[in-house]
Amino acid sequence: AAGGGPPAASRGSPRMYDFSVSKQAVGDSGEAALALLRRCTPEGHPVRSATSALAKLLAYHFESPLAGSERLAHQADYVASRLTGGAIASDWHNALKLGFDVRALRYPEWLTGGEIGEIARGRLPRVVRPGEPIGPVSDKLVAKYGLASGCLVVGGTTDSIAAFLAAGADSVGDAVTSLGSTVAIKLLSDVPADDASTGVYSHRLGDRWLVGGASNAGCAVLREQGFSGDELARLSEEIDPLAQPPCTDYYPLSSLVVGERFPRPDENAVGVLEPVPESRAAFLHCILHGIAKVETEGYEALAALGISGLWFAFCPGVVVHPLAVFPVGASELRRVLTSGGGSQNAQWTVMRQALLGVPTSRAANIDAAYGAALLAARGAG
């Protein structure tokens, strides 16, 4: 996209959130990008991840130097620009892994200057607060889709943050786990924390912080193993959620995925779903327990960073699983709300609560689209 107009074309296929420059970029362009990031970015910064937006931008450049008209756009940025007919604009949340400084609310000097700046300068979108108006939908699209005149496009967010907003979590120590194809956790904290070695990063939410991470493990393996919705409901009733499953070492990565992002980043990680018990109910128990362990390890990773928000203590009325682990010095995780399809499984909720050691329940609203609508309504006034 040249000048102030919307993007007209893309360089090849879009690179999705899980695109790893170390594995999927052309030739040695990915390693060149990561080497530059190691030289020029702060230790532990999220942009050092092989899946970060900045790593992808640099890999594009090392494949073939960026042309003067090329700009980076996240999916939400691209759609917003097409809707308004204006220049590309991003938001605090999508731009975090591009390197935007969500504390100072600007691009840092290491990104605008030096070796990285020579490549990235002029390629980066302006960044607005999530929910901040970007501009009205173009007259052409208002007419085409029958939208209200003056309909506004506002700064967006990520799917897991939208789910957090929908869930109604509003106090420090509240957390939301999204149990979909993958597992994502977000904890509301009064201080940020970032650690690329464990895949932990912080999004700014007003004057507070959403600290968390997103795993590649999750419920995708259930469909992959042939569990239908009816079978999941029926077999879950046969599971004792407080009993130890036959196998406790499952790691529920899809067979289509190689590599893990959080809480134990490993580019070569593969799923472990064996040995397989004879009983389908026992097999399901092992898988659900494996996903719950990933969630628990995620919150433990946050506790290890010493942020406000992890209280693995014995709460009144909460039965604690015999395999639960309580990190030294952890404090203040008060409750976990759950969104995503997995939130509907009552037996699994009991199992997860026992492992987490805090009240765990289904969120009142589990639709991320509702959270996005709330954000837009607040921003548009």
Side-chain angles (χ1 to χ4, degrees):
S10 64
R11 183 195 283 206
S13 299
R15 296 187 166 177
M16 301 299 287
Y17 69 94
D18 58 352
F19 181 97
S20 171
V21 300
S22 64
K23 290 182 174 294
Q24 296 165 273
V26 175
D28 62 359
S29 60
E31 183 50 45
L34 294 175
L36 179 56
L37 290 171
R38 288 192 293 269
R39 288 198 307 272
C40 301
T41 63
E43 185 72 29
H45 198 287
V47 297
R48 290 194 173 198
S49 167
T51 59
S52 76
L54 185 56
K56 291 169 185 146
L57 177 66
L58 296 175
Y60 271 130
H61 175 77
F62 287 121
E63 288 174 17
S64 177
L66 295 170
S69 62
E70 288 185 297
R71 305 287 185 274
L72 182 138
H74 304 90
Q75 291 172 314
D77 312 347
Y78 175 86
V79 172
S81 182
R82 299 292 292 184
L83 287 171
T84 63
I88 296 168
S90 193
D91 60 84
W92 297 353
H93 298 160
N94 278 293
L96 176 71
K97 294 184 182 179
L98 182 56
F100 184 74
D101 187 338
V102 291
R103 295 167 177 80
L105 299 180
R106 59 176 174 78
Y107 287 115
E109 291 183 5
W110 57 259
L111 180 53
T112 58
E115 291 183 72
I116 295 179
E118 291 179 9
I119 298 169
R121 194 179 301 114
R123 323 286 183 191
L124 308 176
R126 74 180 178 96
V127 180
V128 302
R129 172 181 51 80
E132 179 180 337
I134 294 173
V137 177
S138 68
D139 292 341
K140 178 181 177 181
L141 293 184
V142 164
K144 180 177 180 178
Y145 295 113
L147 302 175
S149 177
C151 179
L152 283 175
V153 176
V154 303
T157 186
T158 66
D159 53 356
S160 60
I161 294 179
F164 188 97
L165 296 173
D170 57 8
S171 299
V172 169
D174 284 355
V176 174
T177 295
S178 180
L179 292 176
S181 298
T182 59
V183 176
I185 68 172
K186 291 283 186 290
L187 171 73
L188 189 60
S189 172
D190 52 14
V191 293
D194 298 293
D195 181 16
S197 70
T198 55
V200 175
Y201 53 90
S202 300
H203 282 289
R204 187 166 181 166
L205 190 66
D207 294 326
R208 290 176 173 173
W209 301 88
L210 286 180
V211 185
S215 171
N216 286 336
C219 300
V221 297
L222 296 172
R223 297 301 183 196
E224 199 170 77
Q225 296 300 321
F227 288 99
S228 67
D230 289 343
E231 187 182 23
L232 285 172
R234 176 173 55 80
L235 294 181
S236 292
E237 291 296 324
E238 300 178 22
I239 294 173
D240 179 352
L242 299 180
Q244 181 170 301
C247 304
T248 59
D249 295 326
Y250 276 22
Y251 204 88
L253 284 173
S254 165
S255 63
L256 301 177
V257 174
V258 175
E260 177 59 298
R261 299 177 289 167
F262 168 83
R264 292 180 283 171
D266 179 356
E267 291 185 355
N268 300 310
V270 295
V272 177
L273 296 176
E274 53 185 24
V276 178
E278 293 184 9
S279 160
R280 287 283 282 176
F283 186 35
L284 176 61
H285 191 178
C286 295
I287 294 174
L288 295 181
H289 180 269
I291 298 173
K293 276 184 62 180
V294 171
E295 176 190 17
T296 302
E297 288 178 12
Y299 285 114
E300 289 171 0
L302 306 190
L305 295 176
I307 64 162
S308 83
L310 282 199
W311 181 55
F312 283 77
F314 295 90
C315 298
V318 176
V319 179
V320 178
H321 196 282
L323 297 181
V325 176
F326 304 98
V328 176
S331 62
E332 288 193 74
L333 175 62
R334 301 301 181 181
R335 63 170 177 161
V336 174
L337 303 176
T338 314
S339 64
S343 66
Q344 302 177 56
N345 190 318
Q347 296 293 94
W348 197 12
T349 299
V350 174
M351 182 193 308
R352 293 172 44 241
Q353 176 172 276
L355 281 168
L356 290 167
V358 297
T360 303
S361 61
R362 186 173 188 257
N365 192 303
I366 63 170
D367 194 338
Y370 177 69
L374 287 176
L375 182 67
R378 293 167 186 166

